[in-house]
Amino acid sequence: MPRVKVPRKSTSVDMTAMCDVAFLLLTFFILTATSRQPDPLDIKTPSSTVQFKVPDKDLAILSIGKGKVFMEIIGQDVKKLTLQKMATLYGTSFTEDEAKRFGVISSFGVPFGNLKQFINLNGDDRAKFEAKLNGIPTDSTTNGELYRWIEQSRRATAELHNTEMRVSIKGDSKEEYPTIRKIVDVLQKQQVNKFSLITTAE
C-alpha cells in the first residue's frame, strides 16, 4: 500500500501584529514617563543595614549638604496648597501658572523672597540660581522659613489626604553636626519626633 504523504506547512509565524503592539507599548511608556530630576545637592548618604522603604506619598524630604537645606514635597496637590498657604502667611500671591510650575519642581532651596524668580526660570537656570544662594533659611524659631514650610506642608497634607505627613532627612555623611541639629530642632518644635534618615544599604 502506498504511503500517504502529509503536506508540509510553513512553520513561520507572521510577527507584524506583535511588532506593532510592541512599538505601541514602547511609545506609550516613553510619552507617559517623567524624567528623573537631578538632585540639587551632591549628597553621599551614610550607609546602614536597616531596610525600610520610603513612602511615595504624604512625604517631605529635607536634603542637607554643604551647609544648605533643600526641601522636596511629594505630590503636586500638596505642593500647590502649601505654596498657597505660604503666600498667605507672607502677604503675597502666585499666579495659577506659577503654582503649576511649582507643582512639577522636584525640590527647592531658596529663600521665600526669591521663590517667584526661581519658579519662573527654566531647569538649568534654576540650578545656577540655587548655587548662588544658601538654601532655605534654617532659623529654628517659629517664624523661620524652614519651620513655616514644614508646618504648612503638614497642614496641606492633613487637609487633602486626612493623614500625617512623614518627614525624611537626607544628609551628607560629611555634613557638620550643628546643621543637622538645627533641622532636628525645627522638627521637635512642631512635635515631630519621629522621622526617617535616608541611607544607602551596606
Side-chain angles (χ1 to χ4, degrees), residues 17-158:
M18 183 68 76
C19 291
D20 288 346
V21 170
F23 279 110
L24 283 172
L25 285 172
L26 182 63
T27 304
F28 171 77
F29 287 124
I30 289 172
L31 293 176
T32 57
T34 54
S35 60
R36 185 180 180 279
Q37 299 292 328
D39 289 331
L41 293 169
D42 184 22
I43 294 175
K44 292 185 175 75
T45 54
S47 61
S48 74
T49 57
V50 178
Q51 291 185 354
F52 176 77
K53 188 178 181 298
V54 177
D56 55 2
K57 62 178 184 176
D58 304 325
L59 173 73
I61 299 173
L62 302 174
S63 299
I64 308 166
K66 300 177 183 176
K68 298 180 180 182
V69 177
F70 285 70
M71 185 171 184
E72 180 178 357
I73 303 168
I74 306 299
Q76 289 190 26
D77 55 345
V78 178
K79 275 186 197 174
K80 288 178 183 178
L81 185 55
T82 303
L83 182 67
Q84 183 183 333
K85 288 178 176 294
M86 287 292 288
T88 304
L89 270 177
Y90 285 92
T92 186
S93 61
F94 292 87
T95 65
E96 185 62 32
D97 183 54
E98 287 171 337
K100 281 182 183 177
R101 289 172 69 93
F102 183 72
V104 297
I105 293 172
S106 60
S107 62
F108 58 95
V110 296
F112 189 79
N114 300 104
L115 188 62
K116 191 178 277 281
Q117 183 183 355
F118 171 75
I119 290 172
N120 289 309
L121 295 172
N122 63 36
D124 291 336
D125 292 334
R126 279 193 200 122
K128 292 174 186 174
F129 186 69
E130 283 178 317
K132 296 176 186 175
L133 303 172
N134 294 320
I136 300 172
T138 56
D139 183 8
S140 60
T141 64
T142 55
N143 291 321
E145 285 191 22
L146 183 62
Y147 183 98
R148 292 293 194 190
W149 275 113
I150 296 171
E151 177 189 50
Q152 298 309 318
S153 59
R154 291 179 69 212
R155 287 182 179 175
T157 302

Side-chain angles (χ1 to χ4, degrees), residues 129-185:
F129 186 69
E130 283 178 317
K132 296 176 186 175
L133 303 172
N134 294 320
I136 300 172
T138 56
D139 183 8
S140 60
T141 64
T142 55
N143 291 321
E145 285 191 22
L146 183 62
Y147 183 98
R148 292 293 194 190
W149 275 113
I150 296 171
E151 177 189 50
Q152 298 309 318
S153 59
R154 291 179 69 212
R155 287 182 179 175
T157 302
E159 281 182 33
L160 293 171
H161 302 160
N162 197 27
T163 188
E164 184 77 17
M165 185 187 79
R166 294 183 63 90
V167 178
S168 292
I169 297 175
K170 183 180 179 181
D172 191 270
S173 58
K174 296 181 180 177
E175 188 59 48
E176 297 290 331
Y177 174 75
T179 308
I180 307 292
R181 182 70 239 181
K182 280 183 185 178
I183 309 306
V184 174
D185 287 343

